[in-house]
Amino acid sequence: MTTLARAVAQTLAGSGIRHAFGVVGGGNILATAALTAAGVRYTAARHEGGAMAMADAHFRATGDVAICTTTHGPGITNTVTALADAVKNRSGVVLLCGDAPVSGPRPHDIDQSALMAAVGVHVVRLTEPRTARADTAAAVRAARTERRPVAVFLPGDLLSHPVSGTPGALVPAAAGAPHPVGEQDLRPLLEALAKARRPLLLAGLGAWHCGAGKILRELGDRIGALLTTTVMAGGLFRDSPWSLGVCGGFAAPAAAELMGEADVVVAFGAGLDTFTLHGGRILDPAATVIQVDIDGHKRAQRTDLMVQGDAHAVAVTLLDAVEKRALPLPDWRERCATRVARARAGWAHLTHEDASTGDRIDPRTLTRSLAALLPEERTLVLDGGHFIAWPGMYWPVPDPAGFVFTGAAFQSIGLGLAGAVGAAVGRPDRMTVLAVGDGGALMGLSELDTLVRSGRPALVVVYDDAAYGFEEHMYAPQGADPATLSFADTDFAAVARGLGARAVTVRRPDDLDAVRRWRSAGCPGTLVLDCKVVPGVIAPFLTDLLERT
């Protein structure tokens, strides 16, 4: 005989979940104690929204489901922004949360199930102790196999209710069978490739999640295609000499030029949103665009042909069919080999006119200078804001697991510091590098304390222009009040030192010697760079956007 709180915790631990992030309160403190007793490692966040962002980032960096645990009421409402981002990113997370008693709500309770429905989260409310273990196990399976957050609610009056029996052996969730695809389903796609003279394969996170990187490289070699990825799947084709890097506004000019020459584009597991297509500018309007996605209802506006199926399964069948039909090999690679090599060099080999002043550093100069100081095996975590262009342009990632772009799916900011905690805890074998704007840093500042307490090596780069840079460049010309966009300067270095981090203010490249010293000392703890960047340098992706408005 045990309690419901312990039975749930034992089930979560037995399912293979190894880490939880949370803030304790009356609704979850007993369950959290049971989690740690069952062997689940626990990181205490400073804010419930931070705890959810940590669990989300942990999943993105490792592929393993993590727990976010909070109390009821304000505990769960505080998670909503990060939770919405996790939903839209399709992250496998279990939200373990207190809830109103089954005997009826208290004056301070809210309808948490309705709140979760609004965000798009499936709820498992444990109102029957007899089935609590089975219901919890089912929630974990859903989070894993469907790659989505699932909320497990613990009614307040059942936490100490006795649950009989002992935990059974949990069978790991089996991967779902891929949507069957036959050669006949690919006939229109094969016909398009037979006519292609400049084919381009584009891979997104869906391709990464189903392990399609290798087969897509083989397919590309067979049909003579160039390769590219969405921002979120960056690094998937890193080892191919025919990779153009990231598709969209972060693409180097030479790479974007080649992408724009493609006559047939096959997108595997990619949503083809406005960011990937750079507002419609990146591809030739006359190009045939074919979208391969497990969800046949996610047809993008730019898509000419939709093929429903798992990216890996479709690529295997497609390669077999190409061989069987002996499709001719276009000579595009041969004709553009020199241009591809130039495109692969990226932004790092393009010069810029340094706009640094006596007290502020050009963000391009800063980012290029830092590139040489960072280890190749790193996890790059981004917050949201105008500054994202600079690390996106100058800091390649080793693979999609090495890139955690918090807030991108929900267009939010302020989750970066929490995301760095989840990534650092999940991948201690890689240095965590966080790029964050001053607005997002202040919004999520409490989790700098958590990052310091984690003890993991982490470099925090604050692009500090004392403004909401995107809004300033985008909307000030349209009449926005500048007083709502800019602020007095913040001494992030002083704040960081107050929270126990090492910190330095960066105004010129020489100030980056602090990074060399930190790495020479073995990267002890957290180093924060308060980089006072020139506010007037506008990223290329935003320049293009401004030209269209």
Side-chain angles (χ1 to χ4, degrees):
M1 190 74 69
T2 187
T3 65
L4 181 136
R6 290 174 183 164
V8 169
Q10 291 164 358
T11 303
L12 292 170
S15 71
I17 294 178
R18 293 291 172 260
H19 211 101
F21 305 86
V23 178
V24 294
N28 71 322
I29 193 165
L30 296 180
T32 302
L35 281 173
T36 59
V40 176
R41 295 186 296 274
Y42 177 73
T43 296
R46 288 299 190 180
H47 190 278
E48 292 89 351
M52 174 53 66
M54 292 172 198
D56 181 4
H58 185 280
F59 174 80
R60 300 193 203 194
T62 67
D64 293 334
V65 172
I67 296 168
C68 167
T69 181
T70 79
T71 190
H72 48 70
I76 193 169
T77 59
N78 276 346
T79 70
V80 169
T81 296
L83 185 56
D85 192 51
V87 169
K88 293 183 179 297
N89 191 67
R90 297 194 62 124
S91 295
V93 177
V94 172
L95 171 60
L96 183 63
C97 183
D99 197 13
V102 292
S103 59
R106 299 156 296 193
H108 56 273
D109 284 319
I110 62 171
D111 187 343
Q112 296 184 168
S113 294
L115 176 65
M116 293 295 96
V119 181
V121 176
H122 175 65
V123 172
V124 176
R125 192 165 188 259
L126 303 180
T127 57
E128 176 51 67
R130 180 177 54 85
T131 63
R133 287 193 177 97
D135 293 341
T136 302
V140 176
R141 283 195 295 273
R144 279 208 175 102
T145 60
E146 299 170 28
R147 290 195 179 93
R148 60 169 176 160
V150 177
V152 176
F153 284 175
L154 305 171
D157 52 354
L158 295 183
L159 286 170
S160 298
H161 194 285
V163 174
S164 60
T166 58
L170 297 178
V171 178
H179 184 82
V181 179
E183 185 176 330
Q184 69 279 2
D185 300 313
L186 304 181
R187 189 171 293 116
L189 172 51
L190 284 163
E191 291 173 357
L193 288 177
K195 300 174 184 176
R197 295 296 175 263
R198 298 175 301 279
L200 178 71
L201 298 187
L202 168 63
L205 267 184
W208 162 253
H209 284 151
C210 68
K214 183 176 184 294
I215 189 66
L216 288 178
R217 287 192 291 271
E218 293 175 2
L219 176 63
D221 290 341
R222 175 57 186 82
I223 65 175
L226 300 185
L227 308 173
T228 184
T229 71
T230 63
V231 170
M232 302 298 249
L236 184 60
F237 299 133
R238 180 178 65 158
D239 296 331
S240 171
W242 303 105
S243 172
L244 301 176
V246 169
C247 183
F250 296 166
E257 185 178 69
L258 284 165
M259 294 173 197
E261 294 177 10
D263 59 356
V264 174
V265 180
V266 189
F268 289 84
L272 297 181
D273 59 23
T274 186
F275 301 101
T276 297
L277 299 183
H278 196 30
R281 297 167 64 102
I282 200 75
L283 300 180
D284 184 347
T288 298
V289 178
I290 303 163
Q291 187 179 3
V292 178
D293 198 281
I294 193 70
D295 187 345
H297 299 292
K298 287 191 173 181
R299 183 181 185 126
Q301 185 175 0
R302 182 65 175 84
T303 298
D304 299 303
L305 172 65
M306 186 78 191
V307 176
Q308 183 176 6
D310 172 86
H312 187 278
V314 170
V316 169
T317 304
L318 184 58
L319 180 57
D320 289 343
V322 167
E323 295 286 9
K324 180 179 177 181
R325 295 192 178 195
L327 293 189
L329 181 67
D331 63 350
W332 194 27
R333 286 185 172 184
E334 180 181 340
R335 288 186 289 108
C336 65
T338 301
R339 296 172 62 199
V340 171
R342 185 166 61 250
R344 285 178 57 77
W347 292 96
H349 293 271
L350 298 178
T351 60
H352 67 272
E353 184 176 347
D354 195 340
S356 300
T357 64
D359 63 346
R360 288 194 170 268
I361 188 170
D362 185 314
R364 297 165 295 186
T365 303
L366 166 69
T367 314
R368 293 177 68 162
S369 299
L370 271 171
L373 303 177
L374 303 178
E376 185 174 346
E377 289 298 316
R378 57 181 176 256
T379 303
L380 174 59
V381 181
L382 292 188
D383 204 314
H386 170 245
F387 73 90
I388 61 173
W390 313 123
M393 289 160 56
Y394 295 110
W395 296 345
V397 294
D399 53 42
F403 185 63
V404 177
F405 192 170
T406 68
F410 193 46
Q411 295 295 286
S412 63
I413 69 170
L415 304 179
L417 280 161
V421 176
V425 168
R427 291 300 301 266
D429 57 316
R430 288 178 168 176
M431 180 195 290
T432 299
V433 180
L434 167 66
V436 60
D438 54 292
L442 286 170
M443 197 175 289
L445 187 60
S446 59
E447 302 309 346
L448 177 56
D449 170 75
T450 312
L451 184 59
V452 171
R453 282 188 288 108
S454 77
R456 304 296 202 280
L459 179 65
V460 178
V461 184
V462 183
Y463 286 80
D464 184 2
D465 62 357
Y468 291 131
F470 183 95
E471 287 73 15
E472 185 171 53
H473 296 310
M474 186 73 184
Y475 297 108
Q478 301 180 42
D481 182 354
T484 66
L485 304 172
S486 59
F487 305 89
D489 190 58
T490 301
D491 189 347
F492 284 100
V495 173
R497 284 191 287 268
L499 291 173
R502 292 166 173 79
V504 64
T505 301
V506 176
R507 300 183 185 276
R508 55 191 62 82
D510 289 349
D511 295 327
L512 297 176
D513 285 341
V515 179
R516 294 186 180 90
R517 294 191 297 271
W518 179 66
R519 292 200 62 191
S520 296
C523 305
T526 301
L527 174 62
V528 175
L529 305 180
D530 181 7
C531 305
K532 306 299 186 182
V533 298
V534 174
V537 179
I538 304 178
F541 86 91
L542 185 52
T543 299
D544 291 343
L545 185 60
L546 290 170
E547 290 175 354
R548 298 201 305 271
T549 58

